[in-house]
Amino acid sequence: MSNEKHDKLINLIADMEEDEALELTQELIDEGADPTDILEICRAAMDIVGQRFEDNEYFVPELILAGEMLDQMSEMVKPLISDTTDEEDKEDTGGTVLIGTVHGDLHDIGKNIVTFMLDVNGFKVIDLGVDVSPQAFIDAIKENSITVVGLSGFLTLAFDSMKETVEAITEAGLRDDVKIMIGGGQVDEQIRGYTGADSFGLNAMSAVNQCKEWLGEAA
Ligand code: B12
């Protein structure tokens, strides 16, 4: 895609020009743009929206509209990702991934993209939704044959919820049975260490690659 269209789409989303943003997204899809590039544009636009929110230029309604736009755009690109995924990659990997947005956090667009990407890459995924308590993760690990737990969260307070969840899994005697990855927002190696998770991922593909690595090891 041209740099001009790339930048234009970022600005349309950031400026809340919903109709035009969706039209340009469709145009890019029709031109054969790489769907993961479109998702990356969404993420970049969300950073601008977030900055404007911090600067008191935008308020909660804009966050809601941004979330709705992003949801629609990811629905538009999803079929393209399913179509382009190699058949080889769709083979059942035999691992089940449990994912959820941790307690206190309602952000789920990124988690839903991760869930979708894991699914099209052949992983069985159980998605517990948003605002998931540590106990709900524990119950689901016990009830299902879980190999990997993915904790998502965008708010700073989510880091404490992630830590509590990892601790609760350990106290329940289940820590050695699962690998735990975290993602969403500003996670890094320091946050990973703080939460006690095994790894962190900055985007959906890193979640997929991490699961491939772990399940490969387990096989
Ligand atoms: C849309 C949005 C909302 C929507 C969310 C809608 C929804 N269904 O998710 C709504 C309106 C609900 C919302 C509410 C709030 N929000 Co908000 N929101 C945003 C916004 C603009 C975009 C978030 C987003 O979807 N990004 C795009 C996705 C695709 O990115 P992502 O989540 O990071 O996911 C990718 C990766 O992180 C990774 N990933 C995600 N999960 C996982 C998991 C694993 C295991 C792995 C490996 C990888 C991985 O892969 C994904 C795909 O590539 C951000 C700003 C920003 N910078 O993005 C603020 C932002 C997150 N919100 C913020 C705030 C303050 C709030 C509110 C408190 C506002 C209020 N006063 O009410 C509430 C909190 C509600 C709650 N309890 O959660 C702040 C958070 C500040 C902080 N550090 O804590 C931000 C950063 C804005 C800002 N700059 O101030 N928000």
Side-chain angles (χ1 to χ4, degrees), residues 43 46-47 49-51 53-54 60 63-64 67 70 104-111 113-114 150-152 154-156 181-185 201-204 207:
R43 217 200 41 75
M46 288 305 130
D47 283 344
V49 173
Q51 190 56 52
F53 177 77
E54 271 177 43
V60 172
L63 290 186
I64 294 172
L70 200 50
D105 199 323
L106 301 175
H107 294 86
D108 68 354
I109 298 166
K111 170 187 69 63
I113 294 173
V114 172
L151 305 179
S152 185
F154 216 130
L155 298 174
T156 309
M181 59 180 183
I182 60 166
L202 296 178
N203 54 45

Side-chain angles (χ1 to χ4, degrees), residues 55-73:
D55 295 343
N56 287 325
E57 199 181 320
Y58 281 171
F59 300 94
V60 172
E62 279 84 7
L63 290 186
I64 294 172
L65 180 57
E68 285 170 1
M69 263 193 277
L70 200 50
D71 254 345
Q72 291 186 68
M73 291 173 65

Side-chain angles (χ1 to χ4, degrees), residues 164-186:
E164 282 164 28
T165 307
V166 175
E167 282 171 0
I169 291 172
T170 307
E171 278 161 26
L174 299 166
R175 186 66 181 92
D176 293 340
D177 301 343
V178 293
K179 290 282 193 185
I180 304 179
M181 59 180 183
I182 60 166
Q186 307 298 316

